[in-house]
């Protein structure tokens, strides 16, 4: 969710951010690809208008958005194509300065003759096509026309008073930042910079200051430091005398502070790098600074000292308190990220933001980059179930979910305006791609009704959403919007905040006075409403608070909006009628509170003329502002009430210094205006004088008078109107039908009562209508259409639901889960609520109001819990059930299976988990050559291998959003031999009992056996087992060469086995662990659980050997068991299920494993270390398992 740049009022505010508080920045898109600033912008230079790709975005506002450095006047170093042009953008209302922006993407090289003609002023004096006056000659084709309706141009050249100053020595500098304090201050500051596009950094800078309105400038590099490179210039919005300069952080991180409009500076070192600043809207010395490492700092001394507020703050999501909504002026609102990446909304005091003093107004997490604090509203977004949900707090009260029509199903929302205690939002619904629907809210910002469908949208140069909506300055409730109808974009206008819309009537005549044949609704006037972050794109529209009737815009006449054949149009009666004023795009600025219009042509050629109109664009006079044609890069008007001085920035050639032309318009006025110089003008809409419930009459200067207005005259009078149906919009849940009536939507039940309604109380029963916010009408149908208070009837509970606060069906063990109880109908104040969490704990509440913040509970065990809620009152009851899955994070998965087995024997594989209890799991098994997995809900499977060879087994365990896996390799043979090994006691002193050590010792033992016996290594497999004392298992395996020949017979395996035992009994197998430490390997004692399967197919010689060993008296056990258990794995299984589970030994078995006493269970960390490991040696898989039982020596035939 975010704020969005949207046309005029909204986009004009965006321009104000670009310009800063009395500041100007220009960029030339042709130089670097068309961005709003050619170099990679300083992070603080981007106003807070960029939205998330899908989210809650917003349009930044002066005083609460991050402080913007001066806009850049970028001087293009290259030549341009003839089609390139420069534009003008008037500074938005409410920001102090009247700013015009003009830029070029380069310069076209011209022939010597053309250049000479341009320098003489020839070729640049051609007038716009139209009707001349005052003795001027008519252009061909004008002849007899309606001169009263044609736009008139006076070709006699007049001269404006101007002076020119060159910034000598800065000819290589390609960027400039300009600040003009205005308001009776003659000081202008200019920071010029050389930005190296190859290095991506600033290599030079100069600071200039003028104290005579720009007639002369002084270079201040010696006052800030000759070697200091300045990067950005900030101005305090509440005290323009306070200036802040930021040095280039690549060289040093410092601030230079001035309190005398830049005359002197003090330098302060910083221990962090500033990315953006946010000035307090009231306190001039209070500043928030955002660093490049996402830390937020505060200063109460205008940057002289800083204090850390919070780490992990989301960029551009921090705000000062809003007076009237927050009691503490030093309260800071911010969105911060936790270490696990979640975002939450925090508030704290700027000088006391400790952990104990932070508040979290919205419970739980919010979507990243979604916090908006604007005027009396706070907005957050929370996505659950794949859908975004939007919440609003009005005047810092509890958050409520924003209510759109039930099936709007928004996938994106942008807050456009929060003026006049109402939220204007653009919503992209589930079936929209490049259009948005406009919605308008009630005062609390909770209930929204549709204002206009399918408004055109586009993306700005930095990816932010731009809505084609323009709020006309000076007239409340008046908007222009571009709506898409059948793939055609048309411009509509409203005078009552979107209650009614209509097309724009095209002018009756064109520029020459010829009639225009354009019949509504098939043909109308269409306007470009975009005023993007890049002030050099076409599509200009301008209005001014002090000239409420005048709107100037570029557009075209036809069936739809077009990007070709663009002309300039003006309306002097607030959009009722329009006149064409130029056939080419011009930048039009307001002078003298809108009493005079100034127009500069968009052209890539140098100019020395501009046009002035004293009669709201009906006629234009030509004035020269310089003797030498100038490539115009920007225009800055004097801030304040009497805007009569302008500075034009440019250069005579692409290699010359910056030229600053000061233009003084005072000479064009005869005198100051008196009362008799004004006439009344009544605001109306197609003759209807009641606009927003009132008749308003304004003062306008008579067109024939050339007097200077000075201060804005304002409205003469305002008279409320009698309320009619036109003053009311449809209430939430109602839709306007073709007969004009507001009727309930199919999904809305008008009889449903507010859940806050309790028996004996009253509620407002809607009539289906609600008065347009800020409408001032009285009496009339007001009583008929206003919601009526009505006694709350008793109702039985209905529509009960219980959900988690985040909409998920899962919760984490040991953590709070917040449950929300929702009731569509019923007396919430007199309803008993009983909640059973399903884990043996239940709670009761006497009314639903006590559960508004949610019911918190902590589950100590994992599992699926049946959460039930029942509500009862004297009229009935209702119940609801929620099946909640409580889990804990799965950390480890270990696959337990034999590392050697025989053909056609059943093999068991078990997934051993840590922790053992994690909730509902899904197991995906891949084994053998199967191309499709086996999916189970159990952690064990059984299977057989029908052929010899190496086989890979993989198990994937899915636990919530996490998937872990383990892979093991198992060797399959027709027969093999197995023997348990023990070692001399000194090995235990060096056994750290970790997997890596066991693997290395296994390789050493194998090497010793090969050297002592001469048996090829392909026949031997050694696995060192976890635990103490140190033990290992020796496997004698058949070997077959790759050709399938020379396979060892049973007799060969017996001979190898006898040889191995013989050498082990003679202490011939030993190895040196380290110098002076020799370890001997022995045959271990007979185990109580045989190592191998004793089947009738095994040889008789092996049985005789076994009987001989038994009769010697070394063992008294008769071995008929078919399987043995692995104690280490057995411990894991007992932790998991608290009951016996079958585990796999090196060969198959069929007997249950004995229980391991609880005293033998190891700590979890040790169990993790003792997991079975698998490593391939040659063509054999080595697996180490934990073994903790004493065993007697045995050698068994298989």
């Amino acid at each position: 969710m975010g704020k969005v740049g949207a046309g005029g009022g909204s986009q004009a505010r965006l321009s104000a951010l670009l310009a800063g508080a009395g500041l100007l920045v220009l960029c030339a898109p042709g130089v670097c690809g068309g961005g709003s600033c050619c170099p990679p912008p300083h992070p603080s230079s981007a106003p807070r208008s960029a939205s998330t790709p899908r989210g809650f975005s917003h349009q930044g506002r002066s005083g609460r958005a991050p402080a913007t450095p001066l806009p850049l006047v970028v001087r293009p170093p290259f030549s341009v194509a003839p089609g390139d042009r420069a534009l003008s953008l008037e500074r938005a209302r409410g920001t102090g300065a009247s700013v015009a922006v003009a830029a070029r993407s380069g310069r076209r090289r011209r022939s010597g003759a053309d250049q000479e003609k341009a320098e003489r002023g020839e070729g640049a004096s051609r007038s716009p096509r139209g009707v001349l006056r005052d003795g001027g000659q008519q252009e061909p084709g004008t002849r007899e026309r309606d001169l009263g309706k044609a736009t008139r141009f006076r070709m006699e050249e007049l001269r404006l008073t101007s002076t020119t100053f060159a910034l000598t020595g800065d000819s290589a500098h390609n960027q400039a930042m300009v600040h003009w304090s205005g308001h009776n201050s003659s000081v202008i500051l200019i920071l010029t910079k050389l930005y190296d596009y190859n290095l991506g950094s600033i290599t030079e800078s100069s600071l200039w200051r003028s104290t005579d309105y720009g007639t002369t400038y002084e270079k201040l590099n010696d006052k800030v430091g000759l070697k200091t490179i300045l990067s950005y210039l900030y101005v305090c919005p509440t005290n323009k005398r306070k200036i802040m300069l930021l040095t280039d952080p690549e060289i040093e991180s410092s601030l230079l502070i001035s309190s005398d409009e830049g005359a002197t500076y003090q330098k302060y070192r910083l221990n962090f790098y500033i990315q953006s600043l946010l000035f307090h809207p009231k306190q001039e010395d209070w500043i928030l600074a955002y660093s490049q490492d996402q830390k937020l700092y505060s200063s109460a001394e205008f940057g002289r000292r800083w204090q850390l507020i919070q780490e992990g703050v989301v960029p551009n999501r921090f705000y000062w308190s809003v007076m009237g909504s927050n009691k503490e002026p030093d309260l800071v609102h911010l969105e911060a990220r936790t270490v696990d990446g979640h975002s939450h909304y925090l508030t704290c005091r700027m000088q006391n933001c400790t952990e104990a003093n932070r508040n979290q107004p919205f419970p739980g997490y919010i979507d990243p980059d979604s916090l908006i604090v604007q005027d009396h509203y706070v907005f957050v977004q929370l996505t659950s179930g794949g859908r975004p949900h939007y919440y609003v707090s009005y005047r810092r009260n509890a958050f409520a979910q924003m209510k759109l029509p039930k099936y709007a199903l928004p996938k994106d929302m942008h807050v456009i305006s929060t003026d006049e205690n109402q939220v204007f939002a653009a919503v992209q619904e589930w079936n929209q791609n490049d259009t948005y629907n406009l919605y308008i809210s009630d005062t609390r910002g909770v209930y929204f009704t549709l204002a206009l469908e399918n408004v055109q949208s586009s993306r700005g140069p930095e990816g932010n959403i731009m809505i084609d909506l323009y709020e006309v300055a000076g007239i409340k409730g008046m908007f222009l919007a571009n709506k898409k109808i059948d793939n055609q974009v048309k411009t509509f206008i409203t005078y009552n905040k979107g209650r009614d819309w209509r097309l724009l009537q095209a002018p009756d005549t064109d520029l020459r006075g010829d009639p225009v044949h354009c019949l509504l609704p098939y043909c109308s006037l269409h306007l470009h409403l975009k005023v993007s972050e890049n002030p050099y794109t076409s599509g200009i529209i301008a209005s001014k608070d002090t000239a409420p009737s005048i709107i100037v815009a570029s557009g075209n006449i036809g069936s739809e909006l077009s990007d070709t054949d663009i002309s300039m149009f003006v309306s002097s009666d607030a959009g009722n009628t329009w006149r064409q004023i130029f056939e080419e795009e011009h930048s039009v600025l307001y002078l003298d509170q809108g009493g005079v219009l100034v127009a500069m042509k968009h052209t890539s050629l140098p100019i020395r003329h501009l046009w002035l109109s004293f009669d709201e664009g009906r006629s234009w006079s030509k004035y020269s502002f310089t003797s030498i044609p100038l490539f115009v890069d920007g225009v800055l008007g004097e801030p304040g009430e009497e805007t009569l001085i302008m500075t034009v920035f440019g250069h005579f050639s692409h290699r010359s210094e910056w030229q600053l032309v000061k233009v003084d318009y005072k000479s064009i006025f005869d005198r100051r205006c008196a009362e008799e110089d004004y006439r009344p003008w009544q605001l109306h809409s197609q003759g209807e004088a009641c606009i927003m419930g009132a008749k308003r009459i304004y003062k306008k200067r008579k067109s024939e008078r050339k007097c200077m207005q000075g201060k804005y005259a304002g409205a003469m009078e305002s008279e409320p109107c009698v309320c009619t149906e036109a003053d009311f919009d449809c209430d939430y849940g109602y839709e306007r039908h073709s007969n004009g009536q507001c009727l309930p939507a199919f999904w809305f039940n008008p009889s449903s009562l507010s859940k806050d309604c309790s028996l004996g109380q009253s509620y407002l029963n809607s009539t289906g209508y609600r008065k347009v916010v800020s409408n001032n009408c009285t009496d009339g149908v007001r009583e008929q259409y206003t919601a009526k208070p009505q006694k709350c009837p008793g109702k039985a509970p209905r529509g009960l639901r219980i959900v988690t606060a985040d909409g998920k069906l899962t919760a984490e063990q040991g953590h709070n889960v917040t449950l929300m109880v929702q009731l569509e109908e019923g007396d919430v104040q007199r309803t008993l609520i009983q909640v059973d969490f399903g884990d043996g704990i239940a709670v009761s509440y006497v009314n639903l109001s006590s559960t508004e913040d949610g019911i918190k509970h902590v589950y100590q065990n994992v599992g699926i819990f049946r959460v039930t809620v029942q509500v009862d009152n004297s009229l009935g009851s209702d119940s609801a059930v929620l099946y909640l899955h409580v889990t804990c994070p799965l950390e480890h998965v270990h696959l337990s299976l034999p590392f050697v087995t025989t053909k056609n024997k059943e093999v068991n594989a078990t997934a051993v988990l840590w922790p053992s209890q994690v909730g509902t799991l899904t197991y995906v098994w891949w084994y053998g050559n199967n191309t499709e997995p086996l999916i189970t809900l159990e952690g064990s499977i059984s299977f057989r291998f029908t052929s010899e060879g190496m086989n890979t087994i993989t198990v994937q365990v899915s636990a919530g959003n996490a998937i872990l896996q383990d892979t093991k390799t198992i060797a399959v043979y027709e027969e093999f031999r197995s023997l348990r090994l023990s070692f001399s006691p000194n090995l235990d002193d060096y056994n750290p009992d970790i997997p890596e050590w066991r693997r290395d010792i296994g390789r050493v033992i194998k090497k010793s056996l090969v050297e002592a016996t001469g048996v090829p290594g392909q026949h031997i497999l050694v696995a060192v087992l976890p635990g103490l004392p140190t033990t290992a298992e020796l496997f004698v395996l058949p070997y077959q060469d790759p050709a399938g020949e020379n396979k060892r017979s049973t007799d060969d395996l017996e001979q190898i086995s006898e040889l191995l035992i013989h050498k082990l009994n003679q202490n011939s197998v030993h190895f040196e662990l380290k110098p002076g430490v020799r370890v001997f390997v022995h045959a271990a004692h007979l185990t109580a659980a045989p190592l191998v399967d004793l089947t009738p197919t095994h040889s008789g010689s092996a049985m005789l050997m076994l009987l001989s060993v038994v009769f010697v008296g070394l063992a008294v056990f008769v071995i008929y068991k078919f399987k043995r258990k692995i104690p280490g794995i057995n411990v894991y299984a007992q932790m998991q299920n608290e009951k016996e589970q079958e585990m796999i030994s090196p060969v198959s078995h069929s007997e249950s494993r004995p229980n391991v006493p609880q005293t033998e269970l190891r700590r979890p960390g040790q169990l993790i270390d003792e997991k079975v490991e698998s490593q391939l040696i040659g063509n054999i898989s080595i697996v180490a398992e934990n073994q903790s039982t004493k065993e007697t020596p045995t050698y068994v035939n298989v």
Side-chain angles (χ1 to χ4, degrees), residues 897-903 907 950 969-977 1021 1035-1038 1091 1144-1148 1180-1183 1185:
L897 77 164
F899 39 84
V900 184
T901 189
T902 56
K903 286 197 313 181
V907 177
M950 306 302 296
T969 301
I970 185 172
V972 181
Y973 296 98
E974 289 186 354
E975 56 181 343
F976 60 88
R977 303 292 184 271
L1021 172 65
F1035 291 88
V1036 181
L1037 306 174
L1091 296 176
I1144 308 304
S1145 69
V1147 291
S1148 299
I1180 305 300
S1181 176
I1182 292 183
V1183 179
E1185 299 180 346

Side-chain angles (χ1 to χ4, degrees), residues 1044-1152:
E1045 300 176 354
N1046 302 324
K1047 183 177 181 180
R1048 294 282 185 172
S1049 64
T1050 302
D1051 293 339
D1052 294 332
L1053 293 180
E1054 291 175 356
Q1055 293 176 3
I1056 294 174
S1057 302
E1058 291 173 354
L1059 175 60
L1060 287 169
I1061 290 181
H1062 177 70
K1063 291 294 184 180
L1064 289 168
N1065 290 336
Q1066 290 184 340
N1067 289 332
S1068 300
V1069 182
H1070 51 81
F1071 60 89
E1072 191 174 52
L1073 184 65
K1074 57 185 300 186
V1077 179
R1078 182 162 298 278
V1079 178
F1080 290 88
V1081 185
H1082 310 284
H1085 298 283
L1086 181 65
T1087 179
L1091 296 176
V1092 296
D1093 186 3
L1094 301 180
T1095 63
T1097 60
H1098 298 146
S1099 65
S1101 61
M1103 292 295 297
L1104 291 175
M1105 181 180 296
L1106 174 62
L1107 292 174
S1108 65
V1109 173
V1110 172
F1111 284 128
V1112 169
L1114 297 178
V1116 292
F1117 299 101
V1118 178
I1119 306 174
Y1120 290 108
K1121 298 181 179 180
F1122 294 92
K1123 293 182 180 180
R1124 69 170 177 85
K1125 305 302 176 184
I1126 305 174
I1129 300 301
N1130 185 43
V1131 170
Y1132 276 92
Q1134 287 188 349
M1135 288 182 61
Q1136 180 178 357
N1137 294 320
E1138 297 181 2
K1139 63 180 182 179
E1140 294 181 289
Q1141 291 189 1
E1142 187 178 35
M1143 290 296 171
I1144 308 304
S1145 69
V1147 291
S1148 299
H1149 51 83
S1150 59
E1151 184 178 310
S1152 299

